[in-house]
Amino acid sequence: MAAAPLNAAERPAVLPDTMQQRLLACASCHAKKNVNDAFFPRISGKPAGYLYNQLVNFREGRRQFPLMSYMVDYLPDAYLHQIAEHFANDHLPPLPARAANVAPAVLARGRQLAMLGDPAIKVPACIACHGDKLTGVTPSIPGLVGLPPDYLNAQFGAWRNKTRRAHQPDCMAVITERLGMDDVAAVTAWLGTQQAAPDARPASAIARPLPIQCGSAAD
């Protein structure tokens, strides 16, 4: 026997065709309101140019994570721009900073690298590129404040192992080569203790030229 047709109350609701609805799968990992996942960074509020570059890098193999590559493999540039703009304009409230389970000397070294750099090993300060509040710079330099140390450590490891690359000249690959493992642990631990202000936004400009040539940070 044929099944009786569903009445209006029983029919599935038609989902709205909005970017928010389309990107629920992305938000479930990268835009959790009350969670700062150790390995899936919050991307809300990051500069649109940076987010677009990362989507392209996953699509073209400069970054390697199978799930991300699968999701963007056949998406055109115009749609990747829309995705990037959506998350760039989505500003979640910052989460509390994490307590660092490291010695004070380690945090002091991390702060030095972030705020002053180390001329002896030709490593510029993080703030020289990522903004004096470490919230990033439009259009394409990401913020560092609020990112979990585990995620930051994983990215340094990816650059060291050449499974993460960026547009040439790849400044972070160069910096990673100059930093020892202890320095990586120190700067990521210190960054993890920093919290963005509730109204934090990427800076609109930064002093040029940058202290190191960086293809992905070009105007």
Side-chain angles (χ1 to χ4, degrees):
M1 296 178 60
L6 295 175
N7 61 44
E10 296 172 317
R11 293 172 189 160
V14 176
L15 297 175
D17 186 15
T18 63
M19 289 300 292
Q20 183 176 9
Q21 178 63 44
R22 294 182 193 177
L23 300 178
L24 284 178
C26 305
S28 66
C29 289
H30 294 291
K32 297 179 181 179
K33 185 175 182 181
N34 298 311
V35 177
N36 205 359
D37 192 281
F39 295 107
F40 296 98
R42 294 170 113 209
I43 59 176
S44 297
K46 291 283 191 292
Y50 169 76
L51 295 176
Y52 170 76
N53 283 343
Q54 301 321 300
L55 292 169
V56 172
N57 288 344
F58 279 115
R59 191 184 65 188
E60 298 182 355
R62 284 186 289 268
R63 292 189 68 173
Q64 298 178 24
F65 187 70
L67 180 58
M68 283 297 304
S69 299
Y70 172 79
M71 293 183 73
V72 302
D73 203 18
Y74 297 103
L75 296 182
D77 286 353
Y79 194 53
L80 297 184
H81 276 296
Q82 291 181 53
I83 294 172
E85 291 289 346
H86 171 82
F87 283 109
N89 292 318
D90 178 34
H91 297 283
L92 294 177
L95 295 173
R98 299 179 177 213
N101 189 24
V102 297
V106 174
L107 284 182
R109 174 59 174 169
R111 184 185 185 282
Q112 176 196 352
L113 290 168
M115 305 301 289
L116 302 173
D118 187 342
I121 56 174
K122 298 181 180 179
V123 169
C126 299
I127 62 170
C129 295
H130 294 275
D132 60 357
K133 296 182 180 178
L134 296 170
T135 55
V137 184
T138 58
S140 56
I141 301 177
L144 302 178
V145 66
L147 290 173
D150 287 337
Y151 172 76
L152 292 169
N153 275 310
Q155 301 318 299
F156 275 109
W159 263 300
R160 192 177 299 278
N161 296 328
K162 304 188 186 308
T163 57
R164 177 171 182 173
R165 293 172 288 122
H167 295 90
Q168 294 295 330
D170 189 347
C171 53
M172 281 305 305
V174 173
I175 289 171
T176 299
E177 289 179 356
R178 296 173 181 175
L179 286 173
M181 298 301 291
D182 288 345
D183 279 344
V184 168
V187 73
T188 57
W190 185 83
L191 287 169
T193 67
Q194 306 306 298
Q195 182 180 14
D199 60 348
R201 299 289 187 272
S204 59
I206 196 170
R208 302 276 183 167
L210 297 179
I212 184 169
Q213 287 188 314
C214 200
S216 60
D219 287 331

